[in-house]
């Protein structure tokens, strides 16, 4: 079929992390090799950051913020974008170090 544009609505949301990673890598490889562009619809900002150059944030079926991925994530303007970002879990390296120490690892 040779599509140049693919709409992907939550294509990895219900997948195991290893399968999700494989699908994302495949999509990136196809984009590079075949010149495919994606409209990648997701609630997962970590995946969006990995997959996208541009982002549009929707709230109540309207685009409330749009722009360069890193610019929007580093300097969100709309309260909904800020709420989405605040809901993303951030690993606490202290917990990782503490857990490793208890398991006899350095």
């Amino acid at each position: 079929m040779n599509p140049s544009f693919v709409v992907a609505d939550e294509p990895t949301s219900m997948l195991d992390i290893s399968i999700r990673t494989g699908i994302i890598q495949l999509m990136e490889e196809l984009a590079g090799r075949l010149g495919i562009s994606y409209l990648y619809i997701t609630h997962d900002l970590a995946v969006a950051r990995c997959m996208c150059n541009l982002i549009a944030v929707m709230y109540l079926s309207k685009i409330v913020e749009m722009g360069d991925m890193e610019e929007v994530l580093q300097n969100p303007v709309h309260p909904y974008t800020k709420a989405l970002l605040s809901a993303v879990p951030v690993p606490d390296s202290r917990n990782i170090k503490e857990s490793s120490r208890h398991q006899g690892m350095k």
Side-chain angles (χ1 to χ4, degrees):
M1 292 178 125
N2 298 324
S4 59
F5 183 76
V6 173
V7 177
D9 188 354
E10 298 278 3
T12 62
S13 65
M14 300 302 286
L15 301 175
D16 177 83
I17 189 70
S18 61
I19 295 171
R20 180 182 305 186
T21 301
I23 296 295
I24 290 170
Q25 289 172 344
L26 175 62
M27 291 177 75
E28 289 175 333
E29 188 258 322
L30 291 172
R33 186 165 47 91
L34 302 176
I36 296 173
S37 295
Y38 297 104
L39 172 59
Y40 196 97
I41 302 166
T42 185
H43 291 88
D44 187 335
L45 292 179
V47 172
R49 186 178 229 164
C50 172
M51 288 291 297
C52 305
N53 299 318
L54 302 172
I55 187 171
V57 178
M58 294 185 73
Y59 179 68
L60 299 176
S61 303
K62 294 190 180 0
I63 294 175
V64 295
E65 192 159 0
M66 187 167 76
D68 174 77
M69 173 65 72
E70 290 304 318
E71 177 61 29
V72 170
L73 295 184
Q74 294 297 319
N75 302 301
V77 175
H78 194 273
Y80 184 68
T81 307
K82 292 176 182 179
L84 283 175
L85 287 167
S86 70
V88 174
V90 177
D92 185 344
S93 63
R94 294 173 298 177
N95 290 341
I96 294 168
K97 289 176 187 173
E98 187 67 24
S99 176
S100 296
R101 190 172 356 157
H102 287 296
Q103 294 174 4
M105 300 168 63
K106 292 185 181 183

